[in-house]
Amino acid sequence: MTNEPIPEMGGFDEASLDKAFAALEQQARADAAAIKGDEDVEAYRLQWLGRKQGRLNDVSSRWLKAAPAEAKKSLGQRFNALKTTVEQLLEQAAGSGPSDAALAAEAIDITLPGTRRLLGAEHPITRTMNEIVSVFAALGYSVGVGPEVETDFYNFESMNFPPGHPARDTQDTLVIANQDRRPLRDRLLLRTHTSPVQMRTMEKQPPPVRIVIPGKVHRNDAQDATHSPIFHQVEGLCVDTNITFSDLKGTLDHAMKALFGSSVKTRFFPSFFPFTEPSADVQISCIFCGGKGCRKCKQSGWIELLGCGMVDPAVFAFAAEKQPAYDPKKISGFAFGMGVERIAMMKYGISEIGSLFAGDMRFLNQFA
Ligand code: PHE
């Protein structure tokens, strides 16, 4: 870097000015050519353009001030030209980027593996629920949902559980506190099944209806290997003219074969639900022993899997209050409801329902 002080000016004629400025420009170019890194760029800027000690500042204070009036214009022009040159040199040097050494220090090894992000995966309950839903979607069913905090009316009364009816006791209900001043039908509870969404659907939509409703339900049950106070159901509802029990049997037989394999058989046992008449429990041939009898099916060869039945006319009567087309003389339908955990546990060989809710990655990773 040029260090020698700016010399005194011998004379201010054109030839002397040319010579003096040419010498300065040569120095400025040589200094710029020697720049190697960011630090050199800054040193160069200070050396040449620094406000107090920069060389151009010196030129201005020594030469410009000493110049006779008639030489000032010519000197000023040369000064400005030199300044522009220095600024351009500086810009080029700064733009030429970091030095090789600086680059080497910052270099990364692109052959190293990147940061791995854990990919999320469907929970086995969600996956099973989606599987069940898609079996029915393929049959033309639409998908609906409803609220988890439900009124007594939708959860019980409109599903044909009259107030005080003993059938209510079969679904140990968790109720929301401090609602004694409300009429019973408006009191809130955690829905004990997805069936209330049958009524919500019919109130919104006249027949025909084909819908499946996946969702979470709550019961005041003690937890054991196969029970949990929170679990999931998929509800189904089909209403149209001339829907018969054969349609119900055919639909569910197909669904069980789609879920568990085409060799699975189904059978229907009389049962009771307030909102269906007749009602049935559906059993499938044991998927573990093929029906021969084993520990899982308690040697019976059959496993009970879901509830179903023909929609009770009393339920249609509640729907008809909002949608008169639900006239049980003109239409009929079937409904069914299945527990998702139970199906997931069978499909994946899970023996404790609690492992589905524990959030243990060692368990869940097996399904990722
Ligand atoms: N809601 C019933 C239950 O939770 C299941 C069911 C649904 C039965 C639809 C028949 C028809 O036990």
Side-chain angles (χ1 to χ4, degrees):
M1 196 78 74
T2 314
N3 241 338
E4 59 202 59
I6 300 296
E8 291 303 326
M9 208 47 163
F12 287 95
D13 55 287
E14 293 287 304
S16 307
L17 289 177
D18 279 347
K19 204 174 143 205
F21 275 97
L24 282 179
E25 186 181 329
Q26 204 183 4
Q27 288 170 3
R29 288 189 184 282
D31 284 357
I35 289 175
K36 288 209 181 64
D38 289 351
E39 284 171 27
D40 290 349
V41 171
E42 182 56 11
Y44 183 85
R45 195 187 62 77
L46 282 172
Q47 171 82 353
W48 285 93
L49 300 171
R51 276 172 176 253
K52 295 213 172 98
Q53 270 118 35
R55 291 174 74 69
L56 288 182
N57 184 61
D58 284 356
V59 169
S60 144
S61 57
R62 291 196 188 195
W63 296 357
L64 213 51
K65 281 192 193 126
E70 64 275 13
K72 277 207 187 346
K73 187 175 172 206
S74 177
L75 199 154
Q77 281 168 348
R78 287 176 167 79
F79 178 85
N80 285 337
L82 176 64
K83 191 172 173 204
T84 306
T85 304
V86 170
E87 283 168 352
Q88 281 168 353
L89 288 167
L90 182 67
E91 219 168 278
Q92 281 164 15
S96 66
S99 66
D100 288 353
L103 278 178
E106 278 180 28
I108 52 161
D109 181 350
I110 60 165
T111 64
L112 287 173
T115 316
R116 243 177 241 288
R117 285 183 194 279
L118 282 180
L119 271 188
E122 263 179 348
H123 190 279
I125 292 176
T126 313
R127 191 196 289 187
T128 306
M129 205 147 67
N130 288 343
E131 245 177 82
I132 299 168
V133 165
S134 54
V135 166
F136 289 95
L139 295 175
Y141 281 63
S142 57
V143 185
V145 288
E148 251 172 82
V149 178
E150 189 51 282
T151 61
D152 187 277
F153 175 75
Y154 284 111
N155 196 80
F156 288 127
E157 195 181 338
S158 72
M159 286 290 109
N160 201 27
F161 296 77
H165 194 282
R168 289 180 172 227
D169 299 345
T170 63
Q171 304 197 350
D172 290 315
T173 310
L174 293 158
V175 299
I176 310 279
N178 299 325
Q179 301 186 90
D180 302 342
R181 275 176 298 133
R182 292 188 172 180
L184 178 64
R185 55 157 49 195
D186 295 338
R187 290 186 203 163
L188 298 174
L189 45 80
L190 299 182
R191 68 178 176 192
T192 56
H193 52 175
T194 41
S195 301
V197 194
Q198 288 187 31
M199 188 53 59
R200 289 183 175 275
T201 305
M202 289 189 281
E203 284 184 352
K204 273 190 290 202
Q205 180 191 331
V209 166
R210 279 176 192 77
I211 192 169
V212 273
I213 302 136
K216 191 183 286 170
V217 302
H218 304 252
R219 286 189 200 178
N220 188 19
D221 277 343
Q223 172 137 8
D224 64 21
T226 56
H227 292 83
S228 157
I230 301 178
F231 59 104
H232 298 77
Q233 291 186 332
V234 175
E235 188 86 11
L237 175 68
C238 170
V239 184
D240 206 337
T241 49
N242 300 317
I243 299 290
T244 67
F245 201 89
S246 314
D247 296 319
L248 169 59
K249 285 186 81 173
T251 302
L252 290 180
D253 186 71
H254 165 80
M256 294 305 115
K257 287 180 163 61
L259 286 171
F260 294 103
S262 54
S263 60
V264 153
K265 293 191 199 67
T266 54
R267 64 180 192 181
F268 291 67
F269 267 67
S271 182
F272 173 79
F273 301 102
F275 38 93
T276 46
E277 179 61 31
S279 305
D281 283 331
V282 183
Q283 300 182 346
I284 63 167
S285 53
C286 180
I287 58 166
F288 302 104
C289 62
K292 285 201 230 37
C294 66
R295 257 183 56 217
K296 303 257 186 183
C297 60
K298 300 195 185 101
Q299 310 305 329
S300 74
W302 295 91
I303 291 177
E304 194 171 302
L305 213 54
L306 70 151
C308 64
M310 301 307 289
V311 178
D312 193 296
V315 172
F316 282 142
F318 278 105
E321 287 176 18
K322 297 238 166 95
Q323 294 280 358
Y326 287 98
D327 176 351
K329 285 194 210 74
K330 296 191 181 129
I331 48 101
S332 56
F334 63 76
F336 55 87
M338 56 189 100
V340 178
E341 280 77 1
R342 195 167 153 70
I343 294 176
M345 288 167 77
M346 281 182 57
K347 280 181 81 91
Y348 298 117
I350 300 165
S351 52
E352 289 276 335
I353 197 172
S355 32
L356 288 167
F357 298 106
D360 186 332
M361 290 291 282
R362 290 167 302 181
F363 171 78
L364 294 172
N365 263 330
Q366 302 175 89
F367 305 92

